[in-house]
């Protein structure tokens, strides 16, 4: 799998921004077929940081109404990547 197709985007919420400040953990939306080893290699290559651990979870898509019918959004995978102490990744540089 190509390292540029593994990481889709950062998952920025209030809860994940607190995790970034306190625990040196970033949260990413990744490809559903990617495993922890591929995610670790992609983060280390793209952002030039040292990764200590990777935790993943599959988030179930919500059921939504589209007019009279019900549809379901796709499932997606979330990765919690813990960086080595003192290293950071800035997604939104000013």
């Amino acid at each position: 799998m190509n390292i540029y197709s593994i990481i889709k985007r950062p998952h920025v919420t209030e809860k994940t921004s607190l995790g970034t400040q306190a625990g040196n953990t970033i949260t990413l939306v990744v490809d559903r077929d990617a495993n922890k080893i591929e995610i670790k290699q992609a983060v280390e290559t793209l952002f030039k940081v040292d990764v200590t651990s990777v935790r993943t979870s599959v988030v179930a898509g919500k059921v939504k109404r589209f007019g009279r019918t019900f549809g379901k959004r796709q499932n997606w995978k979330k990765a919690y990547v813990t960086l080595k102490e003192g290293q950071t990744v800035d997604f939104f540089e000013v």
Side-chain angles (χ1 to χ4, degrees), residues 9-54:
R9 64 183 177 274
H11 189 247
V12 180
T13 62
E14 191 173 345
K15 186 175 182 180
T16 60
S17 62
L18 291 174
T20 302
Q21 294 170 359
N24 211 22
T25 303
I26 59 172
T27 308
L28 303 167
V29 176
V30 296
D31 189 64
R32 284 193 319 194
D33 297 330
N35 59 27
K36 293 180 182 185
I37 297 167
E38 292 172 338
I39 295 168
K40 179 180 178 179
Q41 290 172 349
V43 170
E44 287 178 342
T45 304
L46 293 175
F47 300 118
K48 297 182 179 38
V49 293
D50 294 325
V51 175
T52 58
S53 70
V54 177

